[in-house]
Amino acid sequence: MSRRLPLLLSAVLASAALTTAPAAWADPIPAAAPAASAAGTGSQPFVSYWYPNSILNWDPATDPDARFNRSRVPLQPRTGDPALRANPNARSGEGKIASLVSFGPTSNNPSQGSADPNYYAFGYWQYVDKLVFWGGSAGEGLILAPNPTVIDAAHRNGVKVYGTVFFPPGAYGGQLQWVRDFVQKSGSRYPVADKLVQAAQYYGFDGWFINQETGGGDSALAAEVRNLMQYTKAQSGTEFMWYDAMTTSGSVNWQNALTSANSPFLQDGSKRTSDSMFLNFNWSASGLASSRTLARQLGRSEYELYTGIDTEAGGYNTGVDWNTLFPSGRPHTTSLGLYRPEWTWKSAADRADFYAKDARYWVGAANDPSRIDLSASWPGLAGYVAESSPITAKPFVTNFDTGQGDFYNAAGTRVATGGWNNLSLQDVPPTYRWVVESSGSRLTPSVDFTDAYQGGSSLRLSGKLDAANTVRLYQTRLAVAANTKLDLVVKAPAAGPTRLKAAVSFTDAPGSFTTIDVGSNSGTGWERHTLDLSPYAGRTVAQIALRVEGSDPSYDLRVGQVALYDGSVETPAAPSGLTVLGASDVTPGSSQSLRLSWTAAAGGNVHHYEVYRRNPDGSRTFLGATPNDAYFVGRLDRAGTESAATLDVEAVSTTYGRSTAASTTVSWNGTPSTSSNLALNRPATASGQCNANEGPAKAVNGSVSGGNGDKWCALTAAKTLEVDLGSAKQLSRFVVKHAAAGGESASYNTRDFAIQVRSGVNDPWTTVADVTGNTAGTTSHPVNTTARYVRLVVTTPAQTTDPAARIYEFEAWGA
């Protein structure tokens, strides 16, 4: 293999691209992590990060952000039947996959999602064994706890999550004293290790990835690092993954294998030091063979070694010696360690491009794990590692929600418009994406972001139907009782036969499906069909699939929910004690952000809580959701001159029944602003974006000083940016901040563009400003109009022939 960057060097370079906070080599280096948000305010809570000394001062009882960073989803057990694997070459019980992923910057990483739909909403958990929440930098903090939304999603899928502890090379800000601080002792205790355990237990994750690349150490320091891990394992169940960098001599010398120089960091005589090791990228066939031999000699499995491949720069274009890792016809040599698979998101032009690239990365070019070409340079990881499923207990419900969207629906009703991301709400993705069996044309399954029964997406089946199609969805292990039911919520473009059957197989014949007819829909809305499984009581469901039969040149059906449960849909108890912990102005007198808390509903059958505001007309607007008992509302808008707003929090059960609401009142101070930027932090959508960090939310975030990535950028043929102001507003002017306003060359300033408005989604757009020949970096456009939706249409994006639109801010001023 070609020599690749050491792990930390790759990380610090990535950190500079991800955030405007100090890069790992920046000066000066702070002595401690920034202070947490002040108690009693409604400011945005962020993910925790520390230095070795600053974590000693961390106490969740006094950290006002801590309760917002807790995961409430326990790690689910998983099942995997080798007889049901999609690809016959894939193995169960051999090589596994660990994934090192950066979901955002170290600092300013919001705790519970945000109003930006542009996010790495990973959906191939079935192939991953461990996920490392990658990040940290010398200029911000070396110890990074995982985001609770990522923990929730991973645990729901049976995947363990590790935080990161890393020490950079001296050339990139590393200080050997930080390593010494890390292993400091108090009597027989390692105080930093105790805090690592406390953080993992309080926040609800599973362990830590240790990446020590600071040079200058000696054998005594290396021994203390090992002692700290051994001490921690003796005190708790906290796990460690060790990165192949520091050796027993204390020097940093990547072995690219398990050798006598690094093996004590895995197994030190009779002492288990770490649970696994991530081997550096420059490995060879002989090195991996000797690693396997040494692991066995130490009494450890070779599959506790994760051989690294670096896909940060090239994704599935990365060259890999697959036959050395996963030889054909022989046991896997080791497990696989992925570095930065989020390349599929960061390199994507838009969400559709991301989903296509992510499928190519994980299940191959055919978007089907059963049809992988093993001769391809990147066959797809599903060709080697078999699927696992966390669906082992009832109830099982999926709405095919990916944890991101452009709106939010609750039980088929649109309760919020505008983009969002929150992986805490992600459903277990289908085990088989996508395996379609047919003797004729195959229908195309897809995640549809234009409609949903619950959340922001649904499953869509479309295409030419000329033969029976079996769409395998989930591998399960669900016992059928006398009162077990299977519900399907579906929507068709016309009333009449759905041509759909539920298909289930049982563990006594896992490859043979039994079908139950869904029947007809009476209209074009979402309709629930409840199927009785009692005839199969005593058997165990091994697969859930859909069968489509009949003939239709353009079949089109959406599936909004699949639920397998006993008895009836359960109504949970209501939460209580809804409290506003703090509020902060977004726009004084007109909007504010809030920190909320409540007491969890009794009974333990709650999937999540939904937060709403009551509107003056009696309707409700969805503000967000979480499995936690605390939630941050990024923006609550005042309705007219109301003196107070009422908020509701209701529990949603594991079968999606809804409780009565707990309520509280939020008072408004002062009078509404006569003029403010009404587009600030409002939901924004666009025709596309140049890369993952330049989405439409950047054009309404109120900032132009965050570097060249603090903008919306688009390369699409039609270049449009749309903002939903929430309700019809009286507008007095628009301000557009072009490339030069953000520090780029004036040659990139938008030359020709128009501003359009409308009050309803079905209304035609009205042009209120039409600009040609602009050269300025900031333009202002007086108007006198009322609108809810505002749109910027770029026709000539630059002064030259450069094809990219660059908009740092799009402001709509009014009352």
Side-chain angles (χ1 to χ4, degrees):
M1 294 179 63
S2 61
R3 177 66 184 173
R4 301 191 188 278
L5 291 171
L7 199 56
L8 185 54
L9 179 54
S10 295
V12 296
L13 293 175
S15 177
L18 277 170
T19 176
T20 60
W25 54 85
D27 290 319
I29 295 171
S37 305
T41 72
S43 58
Q44 169 73 63
F46 295 111
V47 174
S48 296
Y49 56 97
W50 309 274
Y51 292 88
N53 278 337
S54 66
I55 197 174
L56 296 176
N57 300 319
W58 176 74
D59 183 346
T62 57
D63 177 357
D65 285 5
R67 67 183 302 167
F68 296 89
N69 287 314
R70 302 191 79 175
S71 169
R72 298 295 189 173
V73 179
L75 180 67
Q76 298 299 305
R78 301 212 286 187
T79 186
D81 185 346
L84 293 177
R85 66 190 189 275
N87 193 287
N89 188 69
R91 311 282 180 82
S92 299
E94 294 187 17
K96 301 179 286 292
I97 295 176
S99 185
L100 276 62
V101 183
S102 176
F103 284 90
T106 297
S107 60
N108 300 319
N109 191 346
S111 300
Q112 297 174 305
S114 71
D116 187 356
N118 181 38
Y119 195 73
Y120 181 54
F122 177 61
Y124 289 93
W125 301 102
Q126 64 268 44
Y127 303 109
V128 176
D129 179 58
K130 296 178 177 67
L131 181 136
V132 175
F133 192 80
W134 182 250
S137 74
E140 299 168 287
L142 308 178
I143 303 171
L144 178 63
N147 188 305
T149 61
V150 174
I151 306 171
D152 286 342
H155 278 186
R156 193 171 283 128
N157 285 277
V159 176
K160 292 181 177 180
V161 180
Y162 292 174
T164 299
V165 179
F166 81 132
F167 302 96
Y172 297 98
Q175 299 180 16
L176 192 62
Q177 184 59 45
W178 283 334
V179 187
R180 300 193 188 282
D181 292 341
F182 182 65
V183 299
Q184 62 186 282
K185 295 188 73 173
S186 175
S188 61
R189 294 175 47 247
Y190 288 88
V192 174
D194 291 340
K195 284 297 181 180
L196 295 181
V197 172
Q198 183 185 18
Q201 292 178 345
Y202 181 83
Y203 286 147
F205 60 96
D206 307 284
W208 294 93
F209 182 92
I210 309 295
N211 180 14
Q212 202 306 86
E213 295 191 72
T214 306
D218 55 22
S219 59
L221 183 60
E224 282 299 285
V225 173
R226 296 198 300 278
N227 290 341
L228 178 145
M229 289 191 285
Q230 292 164 9
Y231 162 88
T232 306
K233 296 199 68 59
Q235 305 298 316
S236 71
T238 302
E239 297 185 2
F240 289 111
M241 180 181 287
W242 178 259
Y243 172 55
D244 160 32
M246 189 186 208
T247 63
T248 55
S249 70
S251 66
V252 174
N253 187 0
W254 298 275
Q255 301 296 294
N256 304 292
L258 183 68
T259 72
S260 60
N262 63 16
S263 61
F265 291 97
L266 179 70
Q267 185 74 28
D268 193 3
S270 62
K271 296 179 179 178
R272 185 181 180 93
T273 308
S274 64
D275 298 271
S276 54
M277 183 181 290
F278 189 103
L279 302 180
N280 192 48
F281 309 118
N282 196 30
W283 43 270
S284 64
S286 60
L288 292 193
S290 65
S291 298
R292 174 176 57 193
T293 299
L294 180 54
R296 292 175 176 177
Q297 290 172 351
L298 294 171
R300 302 293 293 272
S301 169
E302 61 266 40
Y303 302 128
E304 293 169 348
L305 304 177
Y306 290 85
T307 297
I309 62 173
D310 181 357
T311 66
E312 178 184 19
Y316 48 67
N317 300 308
T318 304
V320 179
D321 182 0
W322 295 111
N323 195 54
T324 289
L325 268 175
F326 304 132
S328 178
R330 290 180 286 128
H332 291 166
T333 308
T334 67
S335 291
L336 170 64
L338 298 175
Y339 183 65
R340 310 299 295 277
E342 79 275 14
W343 170 89
T344 58
W345 170 65
K346 289 183 64 63
S347 66
D350 52 30
R351 186 166 55 207
D353 190 31
F354 158 57
Y355 274 83
K357 285 183 172 178
D358 219 34
R360 173 74 178 82
Y361 189 102
W362 290 93
V363 300
N367 194 20
D368 181 344
S370 70
R371 295 190 291 143
I372 283 178
D373 178 8
L374 290 177
S375 67
S377 59
W378 185 285
L381 301 178
Y384 301 110
V385 177
E387 310 85 356
S388 295
S389 171
I391 307 169
T392 61
K394 295 172 291 183
F396 165 65
V397 180
T398 177
N399 304 288
F400 304 98
D401 189 343
T402 66
Q404 63 179 175
D406 302 320
F407 56 84
Y408 193 90
N409 282 5
T413 299
R414 184 69 47 91
V415 291
T417 59
W420 60 277
N421 72 79
N422 186 347
L423 290 185
S424 290
L425 303 182
Q426 185 188 69
D427 290 312
V428 174
T431 315
Y432 306 105
R433 292 180 60 184
W434 303 99
V435 176
V436 181
E437 298 168 353
S438 177
S439 60
S441 301
R442 288 189 180 94
L443 293 176
T444 300
S446 61
V447 178
D448 178 39
F449 289 96
T450 67
D451 203 354
Y453 178 70
Q454 179 73 34
S457 53
S458 58
L459 171 65
R460 187 175 188 178
L461 303 177
S462 59
K464 181 180 180 180
L465 178 64
D466 54 19
N469 275 248
T470 300
V471 183
R472 292 173 64 188
L473 292 178
Y474 291 98
Q475 185 179 156
T476 69
R477 189 168 290 273
L478 300 174
V480 180
N483 60 346
T484 300
K485 299 180 177 64
L486 178 62
D487 282 9
L488 277 75
V489 178
V490 299
K491 176 184 271 191
T498 62
R499 300 185 177 87
L500 183 69
K501 295 181 178 181
V504 294
S505 72
F506 301 97
T507 53
D508 52 3
S512 176
F513 285 103
T514 297
T515 61
I516 308 171
D517 193 17
V518 170
S520 297
N521 269 13
S522 61
T524 58
W526 290 109
E527 297 189 25
R528 181 177 298 273
H529 301 264
T530 298
L531 310 177
D532 181 14
L533 294 187
S534 63
Y536 312 102
R539 301 174 78 181
T540 299
V541 176
Q543 290 190 85
I544 298 174
L546 299 174
R547 177 77 59 82
V548 185
E549 297 177 353
S551 178
D552 190 331
S554 55
Y555 185 78
D556 193 3
L557 184 81
R558 288 175 175 83
V559 182
Q561 188 181 91
V562 175
L564 194 151
Y565 59 99
D566 292 340
S568 58
V569 172
E570 189 171 4
T571 300
S576 60
L578 177 58
T579 302
V580 178
L581 298 176
S584 295
D585 284 335
V586 176
T587 302
S590 296
S591 59
Q592 55 188 317
S593 58
L594 306 170
R595 292 183 175 211
L596 306 176
S597 72
W598 54 86
T599 299
N605 62 336
V606 174
H607 183 272
H608 67 271
Y609 299 89
E610 294 186 349
V611 183
Y612 293 86
R613 74 150 289 158
R614 296 187 198 172
N615 299 318
D617 63 2
S619 64
R620 296 197 305 172
T621 297
F622 175 78
L623 299 177
T626 179
N628 202 351
D629 59 5
Y631 188 71
F632 171 73
V633 176
R635 179 165 174 161
L636 175 70
D637 286 322
R638 189 173 190 173
T641 59
E642 65 177 1
S643 60
T646 298
L647 302 186
D648 292 339
V649 173
E650 63 186 30
V652 178
S653 75
T654 51
T655 50
Y656 279 78
R658 295 173 181 274
S659 75
T660 56
S663 302
T664 192
T665 299
V666 178
S667 298
W668 294 103
N669 296 318
T671 57
S673 173
T674 56
S675 183
S676 62
N677 176 16
L678 302 174
L680 181 64
N681 293 322
R682 291 301 307 172
T685 55
S687 55
Q689 57 201 61
C690 296
N691 62 52
N693 294 325
E694 296 176 335
K698 291 291 184 68
V700 292
N701 67 356
S703 169
V704 297
S705 58
N708 288 352
D710 193 10
K711 65 176 181 289
W712 167 63
C713 176
L715 286 165
T716 48
K719 300 174 177 65
T720 59
L721 171 69
E722 182 178 340
V723 183
D724 178 3
L725 304 181
S727 61
K729 308 287 187 181
Q730 180 65 39
L731 301 175
S732 58
R733 66 186 170 106
F734 287 91
V735 175
V736 185
K737 296 182 179 179
H738 308 272
E744 294 193 73
S745 169
S747 66
Y748 294 145
N749 286 339
T750 318
R751 179 177 176 82
D752 303 329
F753 60 95
I755 298 171
Q756 300 176 334
V757 300
R758 65 181 179 183
S759 292
V761 293
N762 296 318
D763 295 339
W765 289 101
T766 298
T767 299
V768 294
D770 195 359
V771 179
T772 59
N774 171 63
T775 59
T778 299
T779 57
S780 183
H781 312 278
V783 298
N784 183 11
T785 190
T786 299
R788 172 175 175 173
Y789 303 96
V790 298
R791 182 167 75 165
L792 178 68
V793 180
V794 175
T795 50
T796 307
Q799 307 298 304
T800 65
T801 58
D802 188 276
R806 298 170 175 86
I807 303 297
Y808 279 79
E809 283 296 301
F810 180 43
E811 301 174 355
W813 288 79

